[in-house]
Amino acid sequence: MNTFFNFFSLKRQYENATTAELSKVEPIAENKNQLAPSLPAAVRNYLKYCGYSENDQFTYCNVKWKSAHLKMAPGKNWSQLFCEQVNFIKWPARIVYMKTKLWGLPLEATDKFQNGHGSMLIKVLKYFNVTNAKGPEMDAAELVTILAEAMLIPVYFFQPYITWTELNPFAVKGTIKYGDVEASGIFYFNDYCELLRFETNDRYYTHNGKSEKFKWTAYAWNYKTFDRLKYPSNFMATWSLPSGDHTYFKGRLEGLYYA
């Protein structure tokens, strides 16, 4: 019986996916990151402000959320969200496990970009599917989420699978490409070298079984220092829908644990 339920357990699937990515980790070479001199000035200033350097050679990061909340749809109430997350850096992979409640019932989800493909699987009562999204649209959406999370994991700015274009002294376009999947978005900085928000049109909003592209914005603020590195500790994510803005996620970080 336990084997039967473990097969459907999204927590077990999250753990298995994380283990598979960890098995790819190799000893880090001593060479420095090579892209720093070619990065736009706003990015270099942000890396310096956050305490990162070319000598930082990290393979992955455990993202620990102190608190997180989710709003399922416009007009709905906020629900508390438990979240476990691992981002891999030398190659783009992101694996997230979440649990909350829907209609008073336990709901679990995995949100992934792994092996060049994105997916979102949501189950209620452990084995009834609510959502099982995959395909080219999810590939781009999940890959651009990794790009957005350069806001909290700045060593992504060093990676060769992302290219950078300076739009002006306070705006930089990033384009992330892995295999046949490509996505882009714009990072906005302030006078203090802080990264304030990221905007993209490469995510799809699904409603009533239909997926459409709308602008998606991630906001960051309240910079803190943890283990010598500075990062924004508060985040929220917003869809710009025809009916108005829908802020559906807000969270506060506990810390970033690199390896």
Side-chain angles (χ1 to χ4, degrees), residues 68-72 76-82 99-103 248-250:
H69 292 81
L70 186 68
K71 186 181 288 190
M72 298 291 186
K76 299 295 184 181
N77 294 326
W78 287 100
S79 299
Q80 189 170 356
L81 181 70
F82 171 81
K99 64 179 180 181
T100 185
K101 287 189 176 181
L102 178 65
W103 308 306
Y248 70 94
F249 174 84
K250 58 184 180 181

mmCIF file of all heavy atoms in Angstrom, residues 68-72 76-82 99-103 248-250:
data_model
loop_
_atom_site.group_PDB
_atom_site.id
_atom_site.type_symbol
_atom_site.label_atom_id
_atom_site.label_comp_id
_atom_site.label_asym_id
_atom_site.label_seq_id
_atom_site.Cartn_x
_atom_site.Cartn_y
_atom_site.Cartn_z
ATOM 1 N N ALA A 68 5.267 32.020 2.303
ATOM 2 C CA ALA A 68 4.793 32.191 0.931
ATOM 3 C C ALA A 68 3.276 32.078 0.925
ATOM 4 O O ALA A 68 2.693 31.341 1.731
ATOM 5 C CB ALA A 68 5.417 31.144 0.007
ATOM 6 N N HIS A 69 2.659 32.817 0.027
ATOM 7 C CA HIS A 69 1.200 32.797 -0.098
ATOM 8 C C HIS A 69 0.822 32.799 -1.565
ATOM 9 O O HIS A 69 1.527 33.372 -2.409
ATOM 10 C CB HIS A 69 0.572 33.987 0.617
ATOM 11 C CG HIS A 69 0.703 33.933 2.110
ATOM 12 N ND1 HIS A 69 1.853 34.324 2.760
ATOM 13 C CD2 HIS A 69 -0.158 33.507 3.069
ATOM 14 C CE1 HIS A 69 1.693 34.166 4.067
ATOM 15 N NE2 HIS A 69 0.485 33.667 4.274
ATOM 16 N N LEU A 70 -0.304 32.176 -1.867
ATOM 17 C CA LEU A 70 -0.766 31.993 -3.238
ATOM 18 C C LEU A 70 -2.225 32.409 -3.332
ATOM 19 O O LEU A 70 -3.028 32.095 -2.454
ATOM 20 C CB LEU A 70 -0.619 30.520 -3.634
ATOM 21 C CG LEU A 70 -0.914 30.135 -5.071
ATOM 22 C CD1 LEU A 70 0.138 30.710 -6.014
ATOM 23 C CD2 LEU A 70 -0.960 28.611 -5.207
ATOM 24 N N LYS A 71 -2.566 33.111 -4.413
ATOM 25 C CA LYS A 71 -3.953 33.456 -4.710
ATOM 26 C C LYS A 71 -4.335 32.723 -5.991
ATOM 27 O O LYS A 71 -3.780 32.980 -7.060
ATOM 28 C CB LYS A 71 -4.115 34.968 -4.872
ATOM 29 C CG LYS A 71 -5.563 35.408 -5.047
ATOM 30 C CD LYS A 71 -5.679 36.916 -5.219
ATOM 31 C CE LYS A 71 -5.405 37.650 -3.908
ATOM 32 N NZ LYS A 71 -5.743 39.091 -4.030
ATOM 33 N N MET A 72 -5.254 31.790 -5.896
ATOM 34 C CA MET A 72 -5.566 30.890 -7.003
ATOM 35 C C MET A 72 -6.133 31.607 -8.226
ATOM 36 O O MET A 72 -5.894 31.198 -9.365
ATOM 37 C CB MET A 72 -6.562 29.826 -6.545
ATOM 38 C CG MET A 72 -6.055 28.927 -5.427
ATOM 39 S SD MET A 72 -4.734 27.849 -5.986
ATOM 40 C CE MET A 72 -4.522 26.821 -4.517
ATOM 41 N N LYS A 76 -9.965 35.821 -5.339
ATOM 42 C CA LYS A 76 -9.902 34.777 -4.323
ATOM 43 C C LYS A 76 -9.073 35.252 -3.130
ATOM 44 O O LYS A 76 -8.339 36.237 -3.203
ATOM 45 C CB LYS A 76 -9.293 33.497 -4.896
ATOM 46 C CG LYS A 76 -10.069 32.892 -6.047
ATOM 47 C CD LYS A 76 -11.441 32.411 -5.610
ATOM 48 C CE LYS A 76 -12.164 31.712 -6.750
ATOM 49 N NZ LYS A 76 -13.520 31.248 -6.351
ATOM 50 N N ASN A 77 -9.168 34.526 -2.015
ATOM 51 C CA ASN A 77 -8.381 34.838 -0.837
ATOM 52 C C ASN A 77 -6.976 34.262 -0.961
ATOM 53 O O ASN A 77 -6.735 33.315 -1.711
ATOM 54 C CB ASN A 77 -9.059 34.269 0.419
ATOM 55 C CG ASN A 77 -10.386 34.947 0.714
ATOM 56 O OD1 ASN A 77 -10.558 36.141 0.476
ATOM 57 N ND2 ASN A 77 -11.335 34.178 1.230
ATOM 58 N N TRP A 78 -6.058 34.818 -0.189
ATOM 59 C CA TRP A 78 -4.702 34.293 -0.133
ATOM 60 C C TRP A 78 -4.680 32.996 0.676
ATOM 61 O O TRP A 78 -5.357 32.875 1.692
ATOM 62 C CB TRP A 78 -3.762 35.293 0.522
ATOM 63 C CG TRP A 78 -3.428 36.473 -0.341
ATOM 64 C CD1 TRP A 78 -3.980 37.725 -0.276
ATOM 65 C CD2 TRP A 78 -2.476 36.512 -1.412
ATOM 66 N NE1 TRP A 78 -3.437 38.541 -1.230
ATOM 67 C CE2 TRP A 78 -2.503 37.825 -1.944
ATOM 68 C CE3 TRP A 78 -1.610 35.572 -1.969
ATOM 69 C CZ2 TRP A 78 -1.697 38.214 -2.998
ATOM 70 C CZ3 TRP A 78 -0.802 35.962 -3.022
ATOM 71 C CH2 TRP A 78 -0.850 37.267 -3.528
ATOM 72 N N SER A 79 -3.889 32.016 0.197
ATOM 73 C CA SER A 79 -3.697 30.758 0.905
ATOM 74 C C SER A 79 -2.226 30.617 1.265
ATOM 75 O O SER A 79 -1.336 30.948 0.466
ATOM 76 C CB SER A 79 -4.104 29.563 0.022
ATOM 77 O OG SER A 79 -5.465 29.640 -0.335
ATOM 78 N N GLN A 80 -1.958 30.104 2.461
ATOM 79 C CA GLN A 80 -0.576 29.865 2.853
ATOM 80 C C GLN A 80 0.009 28.740 2.007
ATOM 81 O O GLN A 80 -0.658 27.747 1.721
ATOM 82 C CB GLN A 80 -0.496 29.508 4.335
ATOM 83 C CG GLN A 80 0.921 29.464 4.871
ATOM 84 C CD GLN A 80 0.954 29.348 6.390
ATOM 85 O OE1 GLN A 80 -0.083 29.368 7.052
ATOM 86 N NE2 GLN A 80 2.143 29.226 6.955
ATOM 87 N N LEU A 81 1.265 28.908 1.600
ATOM 88 C CA LEU A 81 1.909 27.979 0.685
ATOM 89 C C LEU A 81 3.221 27.490 1.288
ATOM 90 O O LEU A 81 4.066 28.297 1.680
ATOM 91 C CB LEU A 81 2.184 28.670 -0.657
ATOM 92 C CG LEU A 81 2.843 27.857 -1.774
ATOM 93 C CD1 LEU A 81 1.868 26.813 -2.305
ATOM 94 C CD2 LEU A 81 3.296 28.768 -2.899
ATOM 95 N N PHE A 82 3.378 26.171 1.381
ATOM 96 C CA PHE A 82 4.666 25.587 1.764
ATOM 97 C C PHE A 82 5.444 25.303 0.491
ATOM 98 O O PHE A 82 4.900 24.772 -0.475
ATOM 99 C CB PHE A 82 4.467 24.297 2.549
ATOM 100 C CG PHE A 82 5.745 23.542 2.789
ATOM 101 C CD1 PHE A 82 6.608 23.905 3.815
ATOM 102 C CD2 PHE A 82 6.107 22.490 1.965
ATOM 103 C CE1 PHE A 82 7.794 23.227 4.022
ATOM 104 C CE2 PHE A 82 7.289 21.798 2.161
ATOM 105 C CZ PHE A 82 8.134 22.168 3.203
ATOM 106 N N LYS A 99 2.837 22.810 -1.442
ATOM 107 C CA LYS A 99 1.573 22.266 -0.935
ATOM 108 C C LYS A 99 0.773 23.375 -0.265
ATOM 109 O O LYS A 99 1.317 24.281 0.365
ATOM 110 C CB LYS A 99 1.808 21.092 0.019
ATOM 111 C CG LYS A 99 2.535 21.401 1.306
ATOM 112 C CD LYS A 99 2.674 20.126 2.149
ATOM 113 C CE LYS A 99 3.399 20.406 3.464
ATOM 114 N NZ LYS A 99 3.554 19.191 4.281
ATOM 115 N N THR A 100 -0.530 23.280 -0.439
ATOM 116 C CA THR A 100 -1.456 24.234 0.138
ATOM 117 C C THR A 100 -2.806 23.527 0.271
ATOM 118 O O THR A 100 -2.868 22.291 0.288
ATOM 119 C CB THR A 100 -1.552 25.507 -0.727
ATOM 120 O OG1 THR A 100 -2.386 26.472 -0.083
ATOM 121 C CG2 THR A 100 -2.080 25.208 -2.117
ATOM 122 N N LYS A 101 -3.889 24.286 0.336
ATOM 123 C CA LYS A 101 -5.224 23.687 0.386
ATOM 124 C C LYS A 101 -6.117 24.319 -0.660
ATOM 125 O O LYS A 101 -6.030 25.511 -0.940
ATOM 126 C CB LYS A 101 -5.842 23.854 1.776
ATOM 127 C CG LYS A 101 -5.212 22.952 2.827
ATOM 128 C CD LYS A 101 -5.991 22.972 4.128
ATOM 129 C CE LYS A 101 -5.402 21.985 5.137
ATOM 130 N NZ LYS A 101 -6.166 21.974 6.407
ATOM 131 N N LEU A 102 -6.962 23.506 -1.261
ATOM 132 C CA LEU A 102 -7.934 23.941 -2.246
ATOM 133 C C LEU A 102 -9.288 23.389 -1.833
ATOM 134 O O LEU A 102 -9.434 22.179 -1.673
ATOM 135 C CB LEU A 102 -7.543 23.446 -3.640
ATOM 136 C CG LEU A 102 -8.485 23.789 -4.793
ATOM 137 C CD1 LEU A 102 -8.514 25.304 -5.018
ATOM 138 C CD2 LEU A 102 -8.069 23.071 -6.076
ATOM 139 N N TRP A 103 -10.251 24.281 -1.639
ATOM 140 C CA TRP A 103 -11.579 23.889 -1.140
ATOM 141 C C TRP A 103 -11.456 23.082 0.168
ATOM 142 O O TRP A 103 -12.236 22.164 0.430
ATOM 143 C CB TRP A 103 -12.338 23.062 -2.181
ATOM 144 C CG TRP A 103 -12.397 23.719 -3.527
ATOM 145 C CD1 TRP A 103 -12.848 24.980 -3.821
ATOM 146 C CD2 TRP A 103 -11.977 23.149 -4.767
ATOM 147 N NE1 TRP A 103 -12.734 25.219 -5.168
ATOM 148 C CE2 TRP A 103 -12.211 24.120 -5.779
ATOM 149 C CE3 TRP A 103 -11.440 21.919 -5.138
ATOM 150 C CZ2 TRP A 103 -11.918 23.896 -7.110
ATOM 151 C CZ3 TRP A 103 -11.152 21.693 -6.469
ATOM 152 C CH2 TRP A 103 -11.387 22.668 -7.432
ATOM 153 N N TYR A 248 -0.571 37.039 -7.743
ATOM 154 C CA TYR A 248 -0.974 35.703 -7.301
ATOM 155 C C TYR A 248 0.034 35.040 -6.371
ATOM 156 O O TYR A 248 -0.287 34.031 -5.734
ATOM 157 C CB TYR A 248 -1.208 34.795 -8.512
ATOM 158 C CG TYR A 248 0.066 34.419 -9.247
ATOM 159 C CD1 TYR A 248 0.736 33.234 -8.960
ATOM 160 C CD2 TYR A 248 0.614 35.262 -10.201
ATOM 161 C CE1 TYR A 248 1.909 32.900 -9.619
ATOM 162 C CE2 TYR A 248 1.775 34.930 -10.863
ATOM 163 C CZ TYR A 248 2.422 33.750 -10.565
ATOM 164 O OH TYR A 248 3.586 33.426 -11.201
ATOM 165 N N PHE A 249 1.246 35.570 -6.286
ATOM 166 C CA PHE A 249 2.263 34.994 -5.393
ATOM 167 C C PHE A 249 2.954 36.105 -4.632
ATOM 168 O O PHE A 249 3.272 37.156 -5.193
ATOM 169 C CB PHE A 249 3.312 34.205 -6.187
ATOM 170 C CG PHE A 249 4.469 33.719 -5.321
ATOM 171 C CD1 PHE A 249 4.371 32.542 -4.592
ATOM 172 C CD2 PHE A 249 5.639 34.464 -5.217
ATOM 173 C CE1 PHE A 249 5.421 32.123 -3.793
ATOM 174 C CE2 PHE A 249 6.701 34.047 -4.417
ATOM 175 C CZ PHE A 249 6.580 32.869 -3.695
ATOM 176 N N LYS A 250 3.173 35.855 -3.344
ATOM 177 C CA LYS A 250 4.029 36.739 -2.551
ATOM 178 C C LYS A 250 4.786 35.868 -1.550
ATOM 179 O O LYS A 250 4.241 34.916 -0.996
ATOM 180 C CB LYS A 250 3.226 37.831 -1.851
ATOM 181 C CG LYS A 250 2.126 37.348 -0.922
ATOM 182 C CD LYS A 250 1.340 38.528 -0.354
ATOM 183 C CE LYS A 250 0.233 38.060 0.592
ATOM 184 N NZ LYS A 250 -0.563 39.203 1.132
#
